[in-house]
Amino acid sequence: MNPVDNNVQENIQRMVEAMPAFPRSVHKVLELTSDMNCAPKDIVETIEHDPVMTAKMLKLVNSAFYSLPRKITSMKHAVIYIGINTVKNLALSIATVGMLPAHNKADFDMSDFLLHSLVTGAIARKLSTFVNREGFDVTDFFVAGLLHDFGKVVFVQAMPETFLRAKQMVEEQGVSLIEAEQRLFGANHSQAGAILGQQWKFPEALVQAIAEHHQPDMASNVLRDCVFAANQICKSKHIGHAGNTQVEPFSTSMIQRFDCDIESLLDKLGDLQPMIDEAESFASL
Amino acid sequence: MQIKFWGVRGSIPSPGPNTVRYGGNTTCIEIRAGDELIILDGGTGIFPLSQTLFPELPRHIHIFITHSHWDHIQGLPFFVPIFIPGNDIHLYGASDPVTQQGVEHLYDVQLQYSYFPIREAELNANMHYQSLFPGEVVQVGDVTITCVLMNHPVTNLGYRVEYQGKSMFFTGDHEPPYNLCKPGEEDWDVYEDLIQQKTQDMDTIMQNVDVLIADASYTTDEYGQKQGWGHGTYDTCIAMAKRVGAKQLYCTHHEPMRSDDMLEKVFEEAVARCSLDMDFGVQLAKEGLTIQV
Ligand SMILES: [Zn+2]
Ligand SMILES: [Zn+2]
C-alpha cells in the first residue's frame, strides 16, 4: 500500500473505529467457516450474538423458501430445522452483505453498491478458476471481490458530505474517484479499505488485494488481479454502481496473468446473468 | 402401488464382484400407481430404468429429486426419455435458500458445454420444472405426494407417496438431528426440545406408511466418526420405523465400500440388537427388488 500521511492515517483510523461493531461477527463467521472441523455450536453462538445477522437469518428461514410448519424463532431453532451446513453457508452470504447503512447523506446508493460488490466477488471467484490460485481458496477470491470497495463505506459512514463532493468532482471535472478522494480526504478508498481490513484482522493477503485493487502493476498478486479484472468487467457491463464508472485498461501484467485481453476474458466467463440474479436476491434481503 | 429399486448405493456408483447381489448403482426408485409413473431420485440407477421405458413412450414421467448431491442426480443427463419428442418430463425438487435457485438449476448445471454435449435448450421432450417447498402437496393423477424437510447438509425433501389407501415414504438422505451440546452443557435442554419438535414434524408425515425406505448408511459404531455428515444408521432407521408405525422398513444408501457379505453381516447385527420389540419387517434394499403394496 502507498504510504499515507500520519495525520491522515490517524483520521482514517478514527473513521474505521466509528464503524458499527457488527463486523466482528462477520470476521468470526469467516474464520469459523474456513475450518471444516469447526464446532457447529460456535457458529450458532457467533450468529446469536449478532442481532442484525440473526434477524436476517430468521427472516430467510421463515420465508417462502422453507414454509415450515412452525415459525422459527431462534438460531438454535433454525439450526435444528435446516441443518448446520445450510446455516453456515447462509451466514457467510449474509455476513458479508449485512453491514451497510441504507440511507446516507452521500447520496451513495447502497443497493447498487452491494450489487457491484457481490457481482465483483462472484466474477473474481470464477476468474480464479482460470489461473493458478497459488494456494488461495476460491472463496478467498469471492471475499476479496466483495470487500474491495469497503473503504468507500468508511468515507460514506464518517464523512458523507465530503464523499458527495468527491463524487461531484468526478462528474464535473472528469478526474478519477481515487484522485478526488485523495484531494478531499488525503487518502483514497483503497487505502481506507486496507486500514479497515487491518482493523478487522483480515488476512494479510486480503488486505493487500484491497489496498492495490487500482494498482495492477504492483508486485505479482493473484488475488488482486482477479479482483481488478472482475471490477473492470462489472463496470464495463454496468452491473451495480459504486461511485466510479471509468473502466481501467488491462496492463501487460494483467494480460499475462489471464493470457488474454478483457474481451476474450469476458467470452470465457460466459453468461453473467446467473451471478447477477444471485447477487440481486441477496442484495434484497 | 408397485415400488422397484434401481439404485441403492450411496455416494458413488460401486460396480464390481463384491456388489453384484445388492447392486452398485446410486439412488433411484420407480413407483407405479395406476397409470402414473413416478421416479424418486435420478442417481445412476435411472439409466437402466430408462432402458425399460421405450415400449410405453411417449408418456408423462414425474421425477421427484430429494436433494442435489451427485449420487441423487448423476443419472439425470442419461435419462433417455428427455431426448425423445412427445414425452413430458416433470422434474420436482427443493428450491435452495443458499443459492436461491429452483429445481431447473439441476439440468442447467449438468448440461453445460464443458460437462455434457447437449444443452438443456436442446432437449426434445417437453420439460416441466416445479420447485417444492417443505409441506407442499403435489397431485399426480390420483397419486398424492407430500414433501417434508429432512436433515442433510443441503436441503433434502423426504416424500410420502399415497395411492388408493396405500402409502410409502422415502427419506432421501437423512441424519436424525443431534444435540449440538454435550449433556450437562447449558443449552442441552433447549436443543433437546427443538429436536423433539422437529422429529415430530417429520414423523407426522411418515405416520403408518406401508413401506418406509430410509437412509441407513452407517453402523452405530461408524456413526461416531461421521456425525454431521447427513446420514442415518440401521438403528436410527429401525427406531424411526417403530415410532411412526411403518409396516415394512427398507434400509438403503449402502456405503460404497461395503461388500455384499459385509452389508448382510452389519445389517443382521443391527437387527439382532433391535429385534426384541419389533413388530414390522425390515430388510436391505436391493437393486431389482420389487414391492407390491
Ligand atoms: Zn446420497
Ligand atoms: Zn446427500
Side-chain angles (χ1 to χ4, degrees):
Chain A
M1 178 169 45
N2 291 348
V4 181
D5 184 277
N6 269 347
N7 287 333
V8 174
Q9 172 92 22
E10 251 170 56
N11 266 339
I12 294 179
Q13 204 91 49
R14 260 198 300 278
M15 294 186 198
V16 163
E17 277 157 21
M19 293 283 288
F22 166 45
R24 200 181 297 277
S25 63
V26 175
H27 171 63
K28 190 79 188 293
V29 168
L30 288 176
E31 184 186 285
L32 285 172
T33 51
S34 64
D35 173 10
M36 206 173 83
N37 297 314
C38 73
K41 202 172 127 239
D42 293 345
I43 296 182
V44 174
E45 270 168 19
T46 306
I47 300 171
E48 275 175 338
H49 286 98
D50 183 332
V52 181
M53 203 193 295
T54 301
K56 284 180 188 257
M57 189 80 78
L58 294 181
K59 184 177 167 202
L60 189 97
V61 177
N62 285 311
S63 74
F65 265 108
Y66 281 113
S67 53
L68 295 173
R70 34 184 118 223
K71 195 152 174 60
I72 302 297
T73 53
S74 72
M75 276 317 300
K76 292 189 180 69
H77 204 168
V79 80
I80 294 301
Y81 267 79
I82 67 174
I84 188 66
N85 195 52
T86 301
V87 163
K88 191 166 107 175
N89 282 284
L90 280 175
L92 209 51
S93 314
I94 293 171
T96 35
V97 306
M99 53 183 116
L100 308 171
H103 300 287
N104 53 73
K105 289 183 202 142
D107 193 22
F108 189 68
D109 188 317
M110 280 300 171
S111 50
D112 277 352
F113 173 74
L114 198 49
L115 189 60
H116 170 75
S117 302
L118 282 163
V119 178
T120 302
I123 295 176
R125 178 173 53 195
K126 185 129 188 216
L127 289 176
S128 77
T129 64
F130 303 157
V131 297
N132 177 357
R133 285 197 296 277
E134 298 173 12
F136 293 110
D137 191 274
V138 285
T139 319
D140 298 334
F141 292 84
F142 176 74
V143 174
L146 185 67
L147 299 177
H148 75 282
D149 267 347
F150 263 61
K152 291 176 188 169
V153 180
V154 175
F155 290 150
V156 169
Q157 189 93 349
M159 303 174 75
E161 285 95 351
T162 314
F163 192 76
L164 181 62
R165 266 200 289 139
K167 282 201 314 176
Q168 286 163 349
M169 214 171 194
V170 172
E171 277 157 34
E172 288 156 15
Q173 302 174 24
V175 298
S176 71
L177 182 65
I178 293 272
E179 176 63 33
E181 289 167 340
Q182 204 79 52
R183 282 192 219 164
L184 295 174
F185 293 98
N188 63 51
H189 68 269
S190 312
Q191 293 164 323
I195 294 171
L196 179 66
Q198 279 162 346
Q199 181 89 0
W200 287 354
K201 300 196 171 48
F202 285 161
E204 188 47 42
L206 177 55
V207 172
Q208 202 177 350
I210 294 171
E212 297 174 4
H213 79 266
H214 285 288
Q215 295 166 289
D217 289 326
M218 302 283 278
S220 171
N221 180 336
V222 66
L223 208 53
R224 173 204 65 211
D225 287 356
C226 288
V227 171
F228 176 87
N231 188 20
Q232 305 319 321
I233 287 169
C234 257
K235 286 190 285 185
S236 72
K237 292 282 164 195
H238 310 288
I239 303 165
H241 186 65
N244 53 332
T245 49
Q246 277 171 6
V247 179
E248 295 151 64
F250 264 31
S251 60
T252 325
S253 64
M254 288 298 293
I255 291 173
Q256 262 165 10
R257 169 76 69 190
F258 294 105
D259 207 17
C260 63
D261 58 14
I262 188 165
E263 280 77 27
S264 319
L265 202 53
L266 260 169
D267 285 345
K268 242 165 120 178
L269 273 171
D271 189 7
L272 300 178
Q273 200 54 46
M275 293 194 242
I276 299 172
D277 291 344
E278 190 186 334
E280 271 173 346
S281 63
F282 267 114
S284 66
L285 270 182
Chain B
M1 183 158 61
Q2 180 184 299
I3 303 161
K4 183 171 182 183
F5 292 103
W6 288 92
V8 296
R9 200 58 62 170
S11 306
I12 189 159
S14 311
N18 296 325
T19 56
V20 272
R21 295 206 302 280
Y22 287 86
N25 281 306
T26 60
T27 305
C28 180
I29 300 168
E30 173 188 5
I31 298 172
R32 299 284 181 163
D35 291 334
E36 305 299 345
L37 167 54
I38 291 163
I39 298 170
L40 303 182
D41 275 344
T44 58
I46 204 171
F47 176 68
L49 160 60
S50 72
Q51 300 299 314
T52 67
L53 298 176
F54 293 107
E56 45 185 309
L57 300 183
R59 65 161 300 147
H60 282 262
I61 301 170
H62 301 265
I63 307 174
F64 288 77
I65 302 294
T66 59
H67 69 296
S68 54
H69 282 160
W70 276 112
D71 51 327
H72 300 256
I73 62 167
Q74 204 164 7
L76 287 180
F78 295 90
F79 186 60
V80 183
I82 60 177
F83 305 111
I84 301 171
N87 288 322
D88 281 88
I89 313 295
H90 304 258
L91 193 70
Y92 308 81
S95 276
D96 190 87
V98 174
T99 61
Q100 308 252 324
Q101 272 153 333
V103 69
E104 62 280 0
H105 184 55
L106 291 180
Y107 269 130
D108 277 349
V109 164
Q110 291 186 318
L111 306 184
Q112 286 188 57
Y113 162 74
S114 305
Y115 309 113
F116 204 74
I118 296 161
R119 291 175 306 125
E120 201 277 340
E122 294 173 280
L123 299 181
N124 288 326
N126 304 313
M127 302 297 295
H128 311 271
Y129 301 97
Q130 187 175 336
S131 294
L132 302 175
F133 301 114
E136 201 169 336
V137 180
V138 178
Q139 202 67 42
V140 174
D142 293 332
V143 189
T144 307
I145 298 105
T146 310
C147 57
V148 57
L149 182 68
M150 308 300 285
N151 183 47
H152 199 53
V154 66
T155 305
N156 178 95
L157 297 177
Y159 294 109
R160 181 184 180 115
V161 183
E162 288 171 290
Y163 176 69
Q164 293 185 342
K166 299 291 180 186
S167 58
M168 68 84 72
F169 186 89
F170 176 45
T171 60
D173 288 1
H174 172 64
E175 173 178 13
Y178 59 93
N179 203 310
L180 267 48
C181 294
K182 294 184 188 67
E185 283 183 344
E186 199 194 333
D187 291 326
W188 164 266
D189 292 348
V190 181
Y191 279 119
E192 280 304 288
D193 283 350
L194 291 167
I195 289 168
Q196 207 172 19
Q197 202 183 87
K198 161 85 173 161
T199 307
Q200 211 140 53
D201 285 349
M202 293 183 291
D203 285 0
T204 307
I205 310 280
M206 289 181 229
Q207 217 58 44
N208 298 323
V209 279
D210 295 292
V211 171
L212 174 61
I213 303 171
D215 169 2
S217 293
Y218 308 135
T219 65
T220 303
D221 274 352
E222 289 164 347
Y223 180 72
Q225 299 295 313
K226 313 228 158 145
Q227 192 178 61
W229 291 27
H231 302 287
T233 67
Y234 300 105
D235 297 58
T236 61
C237 287
I238 291 171
M240 180 165 69
K242 207 180 291 181
R243 280 199 317 272
V244 305
K247 297 192 182 62
Q248 187 76 28
L249 168 67
Y250 293 86
C251 293
T252 190
H253 209 267
H254 309 318
E255 277 284 272
M257 296 300 286
R258 190 126 43 220
S259 68
D260 291 330
D261 292 345
M262 279 309 291
L263 184 58
E264 285 171 353
K265 181 168 171 286
V266 293
F267 175 69
E268 274 157 25
E269 284 167 6
V271 173
R273 250 198 317 276
C274 310
S275 67
L276 289 171
D277 52 352
M278 243 164 41
D279 55 356
F280 56 92
V282 47
Q283 51 182 301
L284 289 165
K286 189 176 190 167
E287 226 172 87
L289 177 68
T290 307
I291 310 162
Q292 292 285 350
V293 275

